Amino acid sequence: HEASEDLTVKTERPRTAFASYSSQNRDEVLTCVQGMEVAAHELKVYMDVESLRPGQDYKSELERLIPAKDVFYLFWSKPALQSKEVEWEWRLALKSKGLEFIDPVPLEDPRQVPPPEELSSLHFNDKWLAFKGRS
């Protein structure tokens, strides 16, 4: 006679996220966010263009908004690497909630656009990058 064990596994998916990206990648990021929200109906991804109002002190609003989210999506590209705003956002995310809070979404090959040293232990590659740009 074997004892029955309840082996139920509970998976908690993020419900809220913040998307950090370079404005030069906005169209591509919007497409990605649309796919994320379609695939996970319960997920709401906040982006600066929809979350911030004109005239608002954006840094103080982001200091409140970013740590309140479940995940920080860092859309990584050469323009993101060069963006002071993106750097400020990922540093805020790292300082407020730690490395495990940051989820890289690579838009370019990390061999061409390496992540910052502080984030280098995170996996910045993606199987779909091999197919980008091919037709």
Side-chain angles (χ1 to χ4, degrees):
H1 185 300
E2 293 182 29
S4 167
E5 289 185 43
D6 182 7
L7 300 176
T8 304
V9 176
K10 184 177 179 182
T11 302
E12 291 196 27
R13 294 184 180 170
R15 294 191 168 281
T16 61
F18 183 85
S20 179
Y21 62 96
S22 166
S23 60
Q24 292 178 45
N25 298 119
R26 184 172 287 130
D27 288 345
E28 187 174 6
V29 171
L30 285 167
T31 301
C32 290
V33 167
Q34 178 189 21
M36 290 172 167
E37 290 184 345
V38 166
H41 296 288
E42 70 280 359
L43 179 64
K44 172 63 180 147
V45 181
Y46 291 83
M47 297 179 66
D48 59 352
V49 293
E50 67 172 317
S51 301
L52 301 175
R53 297 183 311 275
Q56 197 170 17
D57 178 357
Y58 81 95
K59 283 201 172 183
S60 65
E61 182 62 14
L62 292 183
E63 286 173 339
R64 181 193 67 76
L65 191 64
I66 290 172
K69 303 302 167 223
D70 298 327
V71 64
F72 179 88
Y73 290 125
L74 176 58
F75 288 86
W76 196 245
S77 65
K78 187 171 185 177
L81 171 65
Q82 297 169 339
S83 169
K84 294 296 179 198
E85 290 80 11
V86 170
E87 180 181 0
W88 182 84
E89 291 169 359
W90 70 253
R91 287 188 182 281
L92 172 63
L94 182 63
K95 179 181 174 189
S96 63
K97 294 187 81 173
L99 196 58
E100 63 281 350
F101 177 54
I102 300 173
D103 196 351
V105 182
L107 301 176
E108 296 181 44
D109 189 324
R111 293 172 295 187
Q112 305 303 317
V113 186
E117 179 149 346
E118 296 91 335
L119 306 179
S120 63
S121 66
L122 297 174
H123 184 67
F124 268 76
N125 210 340
D126 185 273
K127 65 182 177 182
W128 303 113
L129 289 175
F131 299 103
K132 284 183 76 172
R134 294 184 182 182
S135 36

